[in-house]
């Protein structure tokens, strides 16, 4: 028998229907009747843009959630997903009570337990790990607001290792590359000044399908004002359809295009010479480096006409410095991602757009002091040096590397806490490693709202209540206008679910660590913090969002010297850090692998109705988009003899098949690629709507390319073909 069999939570879940009474059906929100309407201030948690909103209830039941007009993240409008987020409260498939893994008659199962029993089990196993191996052997994987509480708890215990998949599977290459170039990352929300841009270049960024509310609004604003949009994408995406130039690039060759653009800007003297002389170092090295990479060379790599490459480079220069080469967001593609993102950073520097209107603004957040509580002791050992010493330029945890160090009896990590991240579908190529880790780890705790697939490996599953039922930390993001926003509960937690702050604090009590959580209720923390900045919880319950004056300028002040946080104190076109660690100090192009005969590049992305896998089971959003489709070019469809709307399976070169997925034949994709929306293909039947709906891209990824600079997982180097149902 396996030490930890993969379990589905089947025995535990109620068999209720979709509880239509709570939502009034799955289509439009019901109009209020004659009941009592109440409002509560909240912050949307359906994605990480965190738009401030107002929740309306009628007679204590959900009615609707709408944007808070005072919030610069949404300007009073929520996106589709944010509006549908209300159904996450009433989803009948939610986790209901804590469960622990037990063995009965030689068979493993989950047993419902009280919170006290769950905490005793976790604390017992944590103590055993500490006795046998040390207190620093537990890793935290987290993707959400409440993760902070578990980070504090584990740090207080002695375990400091943590990772967010939003680094190594998403933004890590760009944060690393911009950090190496400008001394600071792009941050979230992205510091892009699109409303003032006169030229915007999107490289594989499908804003409009990938919805980050105010970012879409500012893109539309720029287009209304006549900005030139250039979209580089193998697929005719939504922004491609709004573009003056669509560059249907061969997948994986973007760095070749970026180098050619630099070649044109430098050789035609179109770059911002004054800005470069004032702020940059390494220009001469860069100018020499890009000489071979002219548009004719790039044509052979990218398939893009040299004339088009020159024309678009000139359009960028004409609008500069109000030209934004967008840094992208999910940028872990082909493994050379930090180099590609460095090329994007350098191009922006050549155009003088960093720190200038229409390029990148300078972020500022509210100076909000932490609640007075003891600081957790520092780590006994430098876990980063032990675990991810191969990536000295990375200061945060690399999720896939932490997993590498959790496999086998000699592995560093012996326990995991997993908060709000479904590692199985999130980290590509991880499935067999997860099975091995499950064999060697002594403890796996999952905190989730839904029976996500990862719960199948847990020893203990803890149900968190949804964002509509809890307080969380104040939203305080570095951005253009410093604001605070409050998430307050509109409902009491359903079933036995609890907020993360309560779970972490109560577990701390079982570990004799309560001194690190010296509050009874999180309202105390919020009110204390707000009072330090001249507000209060009562005020924020009323207004929801509060703006604060900036202390620093939004853009660089003309003529003023700027000190950048790089070794030279300047924008590093030639990176000293990269040179010092044995990497290419100037961006290097690595040609991508091409698909074997009969196979296609596996391209994937987002849809306006869903956020990754977390919303597929949401009754309202499921109704909007119940399955994904696979986009196929007509010429490829003819060769494969598949028809529009037909169900097929995707198969990778290793023979792994996907769920059934419908074919969408369209000219909007290159003949060498197929495309599907990520997040579908759930395999746990307890998510009754999502189960079996559409296909999962992650399960097909067989060729994961590790970025040598930041250690993340390049996910675009895999190939698939289509298999007909009758084949
Ligand atoms: P989700 O898949 O949405 O996001 O990957 P994840 O962070 O894993 O799963 C999030 C989990 O959080 C779900 O199980 C959900 O039920 C749970 N959850 C939602 N709300 C709450 C809450 O309030 N509390 C708790 N405790 N749990 C909650 C995202 C990651 O995936 C990212 S950021 C990117 S950019 C990558 N995208 C991507 C891709 O496009 N394709 C492939 N193949 N892999 C990808 N991996 C990365
Ligand atoms: Fe919610 Fe949409 Fe805003 Fe994301 S962009 S926080 S889903 S409203």
């Amino acid at each position: 028998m396996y030490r930890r069999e993969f379990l589905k939570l089947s025995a535990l879940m109620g068999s209720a229907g979709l509880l239509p009474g709570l939502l009034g059906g799955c289509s439009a929100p019901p109009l209020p009747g004659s009941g009592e309407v109440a409002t509560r201030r909240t912050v949307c948690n359906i994605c990480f843009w965190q738009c401030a909103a107002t929740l309306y209830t009628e007679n204590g039941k959900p009615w609707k959630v709408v944007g808070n007009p005072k919030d610069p993240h949404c300007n009073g409008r929520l996106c589709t997903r944010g509006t549908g987020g209300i159904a996450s409260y009433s989803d009948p498939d939610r986790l209901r009570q804590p469960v622990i893994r037990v063995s009965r008659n030689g068979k493993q199962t989950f047993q419902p337990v009280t919170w006290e029993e769950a905490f005793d089990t976790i604390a017992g196993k944590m103590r055993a790990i500490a006795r046998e191996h040390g207190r620093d052997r537990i890793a935290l994987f987290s993707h959400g607001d409440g993760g902070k509480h578990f980070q504090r708890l584990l740090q207080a215990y002695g375990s400091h290792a943590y990772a967010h998949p939003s680094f190594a599977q998403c933004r890590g290459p760009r944060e690393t590359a911009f950090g190496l170039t400008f001394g600071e990352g792009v941050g979230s929300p992205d510091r892009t000044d699109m409303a003032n841009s006169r030229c915007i270049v999107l490289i594989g960024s499908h804003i409009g399908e990938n919805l980050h509310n105010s970012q879409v609004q500012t893109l539309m604003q720029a287009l209304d004002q006549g900005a030139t949009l250039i979209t580089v994408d193998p697929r005719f995406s939504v922004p491609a359809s709004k573009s003056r130039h669509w560059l249907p690039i061969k997948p994986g060759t973007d760095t070749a295009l970026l180098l050619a653009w630099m070649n044109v800007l430098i050789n035609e003297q179109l770059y911002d010479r004054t800005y470069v002389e004032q702020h940059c170092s390494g220009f001469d090295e860069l100018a020499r480096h890009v000489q071979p990479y002219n548009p004719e060379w790039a044509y052979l790599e990218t398939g893009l006409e040299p004339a088009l490459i020159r024309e678009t480079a000139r359009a960028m220069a004409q609008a500069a410095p109000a030209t934004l080469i967008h840094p992208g967001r999910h940028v872990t593609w082909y493994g050379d991602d930090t180099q590609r993102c460095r090329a994007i950073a350098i191009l922006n520097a050549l155009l003088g757009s960093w720190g200038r209107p229409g390029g990148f603004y300078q972020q500022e957040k509210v100076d909000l002091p932490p609640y007075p509580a003891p600081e957790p002791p520092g780590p006994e050992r430098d876990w980063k040096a032990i675990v991810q010493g191969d990536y000295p330029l990375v200061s945060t945890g690399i999720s896939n590397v932490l997993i590498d160090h959790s496999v086998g009896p000699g592995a560093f990590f012996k326990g995991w806490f997993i908060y709000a991240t479904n590692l199985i579908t999130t980290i590509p190529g991880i499935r067999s490693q997860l099975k091995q880790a499950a064999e060697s780890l002594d403890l796996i705790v999952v905190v989730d709202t839904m029976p996500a697939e990862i719960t199948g490996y847990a020893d203990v599953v803890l149900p968190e209540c949804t964002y509509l039922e809890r307080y969380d930390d104040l939203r305080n993001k570095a951005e253009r206008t410093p604001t605070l926003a409050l998430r307050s509960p509109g409902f009491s937690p359903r079933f036995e679910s609890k907020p993360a702050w309560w779970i972490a604090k109560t577990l701390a009590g079982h570990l004799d660590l309560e001194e690190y959580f010296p509050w009874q209720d999180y309202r105390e923390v919020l009110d204390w913090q707000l009072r330090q900045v001249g507000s209060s919880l009562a005020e924020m319950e009323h207004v929801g969002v509060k703006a604060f004056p900036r202390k620093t300028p939004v853009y660089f002040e003309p003529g003023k010297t700027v000190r950048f946080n790089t070794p030279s104190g300047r924008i590093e076109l030639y990176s000293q850090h990269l040179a010092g660690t044995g990497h290419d100090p100037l961006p290097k192009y690595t040609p991508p692998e091409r698909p074997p005969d009969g196979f296609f590049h596996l391209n994937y992305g987002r849809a306006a109705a869903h956020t990754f896998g977390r919303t597929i089971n949401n009754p309202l959003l499921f109704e909007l988009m119940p399955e994904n489709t696979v986009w196929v070019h007509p010429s490829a469809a003819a060769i494969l003899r598949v028809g529009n709307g037909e169900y097929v399976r995707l198969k990778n070169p290793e023979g792994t098949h996907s769920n059934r997925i419908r074919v969408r034949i369209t000219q909007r994709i290159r003949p060498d690629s197929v495309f599907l929306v990520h997040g579908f293909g759930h395999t746990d039947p307890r998510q009754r709507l999502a189960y079996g709906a559409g296909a999962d891209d992650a399960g097909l990824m067989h060729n994961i390319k590790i970025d040598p600079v930041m250690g993340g997982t390049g996910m675009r180097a895999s190939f698939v073909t289509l298999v007909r149902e009758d084949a």
Side-chain angles (χ1 to χ4, degrees):
M1 188 172 96
Y2 290 112
R3 177 175 187 188
R4 192 177 279 107
E5 285 168 10
F6 186 80
L7 295 183
K8 293 184 175 166
L9 292 164
S10 50
L12 306 169
M13 312 298 297
S15 58
L18 284 182
L19 301 188
L22 278 170
L23 266 181
C26 289
S27 8
L31 291 173
S34 53
E36 189 183 326
V37 172
T39 59
R40 293 289 284 176
R41 299 301 190 182
T42 186
V43 172
C44 182
N45 190 41
I46 300 301
C47 85
F48 303 100
W49 209 248
Q50 296 196 319
C51 301
T54 305
L55 168 71
Y56 287 75
T57 57
E58 189 195 4
N59 289 336
K61 290 186 177 177
W63 171 23
K64 63 178 178 180
V65 60
V66 298
N68 186 329
K70 292 200 189 76
D71 187 26
H73 283 311
C74 72
N75 303 310
R77 289 138 78 183
L78 297 189
C79 77
T80 327
R81 298 164 303 154
T83 307
I86 197 162
S88 59
Y89 166 74
S90 39
D91 190 326
D93 296 341
R94 281 174 55 172
L95 293 176
R96 293 170 180 230
Q97 72 263 81
V99 297
I100 60 173
R101 176 184 296 267
V102 292
S103 245
R104 271 200 211 113
N105 305 326
K107 206 169 162 26
Q108 295 182 6
T109 183
F110 280 130
Q111 175 180 310
V113 290
T114 63
W115 279 98
E116 287 301 299
E117 288 168 319
F119 291 141
D120 282 343
T121 304
I122 297 169
K125 290 193 181 225
M126 284 175 74
R127 289 204 169 96
I129 291 172
R131 270 195 311 274
E132 218 173 310
H133 307 285
R135 292 175 81 88
D136 58 354
R137 300 305 190 93
I138 299 174
L140 169 67
F141 300 89
S142 135
H143 194 195
D145 299 329
K148 248 181 91 166
H149 304 295
F150 295 100
Q151 196 172 342
R152 182 173 182 77
L153 170 74
L154 291 173
Q155 285 182 353
Y157 192 70
S159 283
H160 287 248
Y162 70 92
H164 310 298
S166 49
F167 180 79
Q169 281 66 52
C170 186
R171 294 188 282 129
R174 91 167 189 198
E175 294 305 303
T176 307
F178 276 64
L180 290 166
T181 312
F182 298 110
E184 50 185 335
V186 178
S188 179
D190 316 321
R191 57 171 80 191
T192 49
D193 193 28
M194 275 200 282
N196 296 310
S197 300
R198 294 198 299 126
C199 176
I200 297 169
V201 182
L202 299 179
I203 300 171
S205 260
H206 51 321
I207 298 174
E209 290 161 276
N210 181 18
L211 274 185
H212 283 141
N213 199 337
S214 50
Q215 189 160 222
V216 183
Q217 294 185 32
T218 50
L219 174 63
M220 296 318 291
Q221 202 177 329
L223 293 180
D224 283 349
Q225 289 160 191
T228 299
L229 182 60
I230 298 167
T231 299
V232 181
D233 200 313
R235 191 173 63 94
F236 191 66
S237 60
V238 167
S241 70
K242 313 258 176 266
S243 296
R244 188 156 312 160
H245 300 284
W246 170 44
L247 281 59
I249 195 163
K250 263 190 216 160
T253 63
D254 302 78
T255 309
L257 172 65
L258 290 158
L259 289 166
W261 274 338
M262 288 182 215
N263 174 296
V264 175
L265 291 181
I266 291 174
N267 287 345
E268 296 190 11
Q269 303 276 315
L270 295 173
Y271 67 95
D272 188 333
R273 182 189 284 262
T274 314
Y275 182 95
V276 168
E277 282 174 1
Q278 192 184 357
H279 297 301
C280 301
S281 66
F283 177 77
D284 293 342
E285 290 91 333
L286 176 72
R288 277 196 299 277
H289 175 72
V290 299
Q291 284 318 304
Y293 306 125
N294 60 28
E296 286 68 27
W297 166 82
Y299 169 65
L300 298 175
E301 296 299 322
T302 62
L304 301 171
E305 293 289 340
L308 182 61
I309 297 176
R310 289 200 168 84
E311 186 184 351
T312 45
R314 289 170 191 152
M316 289 177 219
Q318 207 179 12
T323 294
L324 176 79
I325 317 297
H326 196 287
R329 200 167 166 100
H330 169 76
V331 287
T332 42
W333 295 355
Y334 293 92
D336 62 343
D337 304 303
T338 303
Q339 292 293 356
R340 186 185 68 255
C341 293
R342 273 266 300 151
I344 292 174
I346 291 171
L347 201 55
N348 278 299
L350 289 176
L351 292 162
S353 65
W354 184 260
R356 310 276 284 282
F360 296 82
Y361 63 81
Q362 302 195 83
Q363 293 155 314
E364 191 179 309
K365 66 199 289 201
V366 181
D367 193 5
L368 190 70
Y371 186 82
E375 261 305 296
E380 270 174 31
R381 283 180 282 189
D382 182 353
W383 70 269
K384 279 183 202 144
I386 297 170
V387 169
Q388 49 187 56
D390 290 346
Y391 305 102
L393 298 176
V394 173
S395 58
T396 187
I398 305 167
S399 39
N400 43 298
V401 175
L402 265 57
I403 293 175
D404 289 343
H405 286 268
S406 305
V407 173
F412 185 77
F413 293 114
K414 299 295 170 191
W416 285 357
F417 271 63
I418 303 170
Y419 175 82
T421 179
N422 192 9
L423 295 182
I424 294 186
T425 53
T426 298
I427 303 186
I430 210 69
R431 286 160 209 222
S432 74
Q433 245 185 327
L434 272 176
K435 276 193 194 129
Q436 294 168 41
E439 281 299 291
S440 52
L441 289 167
D442 295 331
L443 171 67
I444 301 180
V445 179
V446 173
V447 184
D448 208 301
T449 52
M450 296 294 295
E453 283 77 5
I454 191 64
T455 56
Y457 286 117
D459 296 300
V460 183
V461 182
L462 303 176
E464 191 178 22
C465 54
T466 68
Y467 69 104
L468 297 168
E469 301 159 294
R470 66 188 196 224
Y471 286 99
D472 268 316
D473 271 316
L474 292 159
R475 186 196 76 195
N476 182 16
K477 287 176 174 274
E479 53 187 326
R480 176 192 287 275
T481 310
T483 56
L484 294 178
L486 175 72
R487 178 178 291 149
S488 64
F491 312 101
S492 306
R494 290 183 72 200
F495 316 118
E496 291 176 36
S497 62
K498 297 283 186 189
W501 68 261
W502 181 91
I503 302 173
K505 176 184 160 57
T506 317
L507 178 55
H510 287 248
L511 292 162
D512 303 321
L513 297 170
E514 50 275 87
E515 66 185 287
Y516 295 98
F517 296 82
W519 53 81
Q520 287 311 310
D521 189 302
Y522 214 60
R523 279 178 291 192
E524 289 165 39
V525 176
L526 300 174
D527 193 49
W528 185 90
Q529 286 190 296
L530 285 163
R531 286 185 187 279
Q532 311 313 303
V533 293
S535 181
S536 66
L537 184 56
E539 184 194 13
M540 289 299 283
E541 301 258 18
H542 182 61
V543 295
V545 180
K546 192 170 161 103
F548 291 78
R550 276 189 76 110
K551 295 178 181 150
T552 56
V554 180
Y555 306 113
F556 293 165
E557 292 172 291
K560 213 166 169 188
T561 305
V562 183
R563 165 118 203 131
F564 296 86
N565 188 22
T566 56
S568 62
R570 294 169 71 80
I571 297 173
E572 294 205 347
L573 307 179
Y574 176 99
S575 167
Q576 295 189 21
H577 272 317
L578 286 173
T581 48
H583 298 291
D584 294 305
L586 291 161
K588 186 181 158 200
Y589 170 62
T590 312
E593 289 166 34
R594 291 282 158 229
D597 276 353
F599 284 81
F600 302 84
H601 290 277
L602 172 60
N603 189 2
Y604 58 84
R606 310 270 179 264
H610 287 293
T611 305
F612 315 122
R614 66 174 55 199
T615 52
I616 310 294
N617 206 67
N618 172 309
L620 286 172
L621 299 177
F622 180 84
E623 193 173 286
L624 282 180
M625 186 177 180
E627 61 182 350
N628 54 0
T629 55
V630 56
W631 294 29
V632 184
H633 189 270
S635 61
I639 294 167
L640 294 162
R641 294 187 299 109
V642 293
N644 200 34
E646 180 182 342
Y647 275 111
V648 295
R649 289 179 198 268
L650 303 177
K651 185 179 85 165
N652 71 17
E654 292 176 354
T656 304
H657 284 75
S658 73
N659 276 357
R660 280 164 22 118
I661 182 168
R662 257 186 221 281
V663 172
R664 173 176 174 186
I665 299 179
T666 171
Q667 302 265 6
R668 291 174 58 188
I669 182 92
R670 284 174 55 99
D672 60 2
S673 304
V674 298
F675 171 84
L676 66 158
V677 168
H678 167 65
F680 286 87
H682 278 279
T683 52
D684 193 311
R686 296 299 89 204
Q687 300 208 35
R688 281 172 286 181
L689 292 175
Y691 176 62
D696 167 27
D697 55 330
L700 293 162
M701 290 175 183
H702 59 97
N703 193 19
I704 312 303
K705 299 288 183 188
I706 301 297
D707 187 317
V709 182
M710 52 67 70
T713 49
M715 311 189 194
R716 292 258 163 97
S718 292
F719 310 112
V720 291
T721 191
L722 278 61
V723 181
R724 294 176 53 162
E725 283 284 75
D726 57 7

